[in-house]
Amino acid sequence: MHRKSVAELSKALNKKDISSCELTSVYLDRIQAHSELNAFITVDRERALKQAQEADARLKAGTGTALTGIPIAQKDIFCTDGMLTTCASRMLANFVAPYDATVIRKFGEAGSVLLGKTNMDEFAMGSSNETSFFGPVRNPWDRRCVPGGSSGGSAAAVAARLAVAATGTDTGGSIRQPAALTGITGLKPSYGRVSRYGMIAFASSLDQAGPMTRSAEDAALLLNVMAGFDPLDSTSVDRPVPDYASTLDRPLTGLRIGLPQEYFGEGLGTGVAVAIESALEEFRKLGAKILEVSLPNSSLAIPCYYVLAPAEASSNLARYDGVRYGYRAPEYEDLWEMYAKSRAQGFGAEVKRRIMIGTYALSAGYYDAYYLKAQKLRRLISSDFDRAFEVCDVIMGPAAPSTAFELGSKTDDPVAMYLSDIYTISVNLAGLPGMSIPAGFDSNGRPIGLQIIGKYFDEARLLNVAHKFQQATDWHLRVPEGF
Ligand code: GLN
């Protein structure tokens, strides 16, 4: 039963072949049995089973939706009423949110079951899930390896079938890169597609929530629930939400796939390059045409992001002062010392590094040289995509330069870690939708992700392209041994 997709389980629940209580228990037991992965920070068994009971009543009454009774894991970045919401930081290790994030509310209204809150990099800063205050997550394909980050707990949970599906957030790659490293499907929607209300802010102009699932079909079912305008988030966009599940089967004949030459140069692992090439061959068979495009400013994406994201983070994280909520140092002499000690003790090393970089880049003497310059670069990077999309419908390439790496192998070298997002970050800077889907394995049996980038608000197209590929291949059905 735990191998089934959202779509299959939804049918079984509606036909009463299984109950949500049974299904939820299966997953709760699996989470417990595989606690060595450290994929979850909080699991509330009672609450989950109570929601499952309510879902069963709703299914019985015939008022269920496609997600009613489906157990879902939520990244621990979404505020959850009455439950711990830690963002994997000591700063929020005791924080119980007094309200639900819009994403949580919407899943609740759809009748899905909240299995628990997943582990992540502290405040979503990282590419390996090693900056978590609660310890690293292990990759179910190889426990010596990281699952990617920052949504590493959600990725590992879906890959190991500890949840039917999960949510993640992506500021520079945190849905797509861990999806690639764990062999699952991850979608970062266009900026503004999903409400950020109650989603703890890292870099507000880049953060976006999306589904992490076993298949594109499941991602469509989750996005149907997540997407839409929210008056509580002024950056959410008021435009109609299509039924993403209804256009999955459109044929790909004539689809124009753009390959950015910059994504296939130095730094790309050979195993990854070979897998991407054979995925493209599959798309040719499905009737797509492949052409070369250029994103000339790609190499500037990482430096641009590492000025803008820390700048926004330094401002967003100013609220953690030990006064209203969160961690407060036990001993201090005066107010200033309380601030200083609470922040020094409450934040981990990577978060402090970002706050320092951001504060520096925004300081009066350097604002023009760094922050303003980076904003200009952001515009150039975004225009590169506009030009590329004049001749193609989607852009494809690798989601990450390498497959899963060993725990500890990049922790001493922040720049090497930052390079994990070399193919994903420009998509956030431009605000475009991007996806990673399973496309093979390297010689060590570690998964490889194919990235598909779309035009603004063209999530339906991405899901359609991914779904057709998944109908023709079985990479997304592979499960790590023992799960
Ligand atoms: N790895 C990138 C960072 O550390 C992206 C993180 C994210 O998307 N949340 O900033």
Side-chain angles (χ1 to χ4, degrees), residues 408-442:
S409 61
K410 294 190 185 178
T411 35
D412 294 334
D413 186 351
V415 175
M417 190 70 90
Y418 297 170
L419 287 170
S420 303
D421 294 312
I422 189 149
Y423 304 124
T424 48
I425 273 181
S426 52
V427 176
N428 300 72
L429 290 168
L432 296 167
M435 235 180 141
S436 175
I437 59 171
F441 294 87
D442 70 5

Side-chain angles (χ1 to χ4, degrees), residues 124-127 150 170-174 202 305-306 354 421:
M125 299 174 190
S127 302
S150 65
D170 192 313
T171 304
S174 281
F202 162 13
Y305 173 92
Y306 278 100
R354 308 277 177 118
D421 294 312

Side-chain angles (χ1 to χ4, degrees), residues 132-477:
S132 169
F133 175 62
F134 299 93
V137 174
R138 292 181 183 271
N139 191 320
W141 292 94
D142 185 339
R143 288 178 179 75
R144 289 168 303 175
C145 290
V146 305
S150 65
S151 313
S154 290
V158 174
R161 301 333 193 210
L162 309 185
V164 188
T167 55
T169 62
D170 192 313
T171 304
S174 281
I175 289 177
R176 290 160 289 157
Q177 185 258 11
L181 270 48
T182 57
I184 66 162
T185 299
L187 167 66
K188 180 202 93 74
S190 310
Y191 185 77
R193 183 75 294 188
V194 174
S195 169
R196 291 185 299 112
Y197 179 73
M199 188 177 113
I200 295 174
F202 162 13
S204 310
S205 78
L206 300 156
D207 299 342
Q208 189 61 199
M212 301 180 76
T213 54
R214 296 160 195 201
S215 66
E217 185 182 24
D218 283 2
L221 294 173
L222 263 72
L223 190 61
N224 275 348
V225 169
M226 297 173 80
F229 174 64
D230 179 6
L232 298 172
D233 172 9
S234 58
T235 64
S236 75
V237 176
D238 193 359
R239 77 192 258 165
V241 180
D243 173 5
Y244 294 107
S246 69
T247 46
L248 291 170
D249 281 312
R250 279 181 299 179
L252 301 189
T253 334
L255 178 82
R256 297 168 304 165
I257 300 175
L259 290 190
Q261 59 193 63
E262 295 81 4
Y263 281 27
F264 293 87
E266 206 191 321
L268 179 62
T270 30
V272 180
V274 170
I276 302 300
E277 191 40 60
S278 44
L280 292 169
E281 196 44 49
E282 199 59 51
F283 280 107
R284 278 195 199 95
K285 283 193 221 149
L286 290 166
K289 285 194 295 239
I290 309 220
L291 50 112
E292 212 168 88
V293 294
S294 178
L295 300 171
N297 294 294
S298 301
S299 64
L300 301 172
I302 294 219
C304 171
Y305 173 92
Y306 278 100
V307 171
L308 296 180
E312 293 186 28
S314 70
S315 163
N316 274 326
L317 271 60
R319 71 189 68 172
Y320 305 107
D321 55 7
V323 176
R324 286 149 299 184
Y325 53 85
Y327 181 80
R328 180 184 294 179
E331 281 168 37
Y332 45 86
E333 299 273 296
D334 56 19
L335 182 66
W336 285 107
E337 201 177 290
M338 188 198 76
Y339 289 152
K341 282 192 167 172
S342 299
R343 287 170 68 82
Q345 295 166 14
F347 291 135
E350 185 59 31
V351 173
K352 287 179 191 160
R353 182 178 297 126
R354 308 277 177 118
I355 292 173
M356 284 190 278
I357 296 172
T359 312
Y360 180 80
L362 290 175
S363 60
Y366 294 101
Y367 181 92
D368 288 354
Y370 295 110
Y371 184 74
L372 207 62
K373 191 81 173 181
Q375 289 289 23
K376 290 177 180 168
L377 287 182
R378 183 175 187 173
R379 163 62 60 196
L380 288 178
I381 289 165
S382 179
S383 308
D384 283 355
F385 281 106
D386 292 342
R387 263 189 302 275
F389 280 126
E390 281 169 15
V391 296
C392 66
D393 305 305
V394 293
I395 290 175
M396 283 189 194
S402 75
T403 52
F405 44 92
E406 282 172 31
L407 273 126
S409 61
K410 294 190 185 178
T411 35
D412 294 334
D413 186 351
V415 175
M417 190 70 90
Y418 297 170
L419 287 170
S420 303
D421 294 312
I422 189 149
Y423 304 124
T424 48
I425 273 181
S426 52
V427 176
N428 300 72
L429 290 168
L432 296 167
M435 235 180 141
S436 175
I437 59 171
F441 294 87
D442 70 5
S443 53
N444 293 316
R446 299 175 192 168
I448 292 167
L450 168 77
Q451 186 175 203
I452 317 172
I453 303 165
K455 299 180 183 176
Y456 291 109
F457 293 94
D458 212 4
E459 286 81 5
R461 189 46 141 172
L462 289 189
L463 289 161
N464 160 231
V465 169
H467 179 69
K468 294 302 274 186
F469 180 78
Q470 293 184 339
Q471 298 274 287
T473 57
D474 69 352
W475 302 118
H476 65 296
L477 299 175

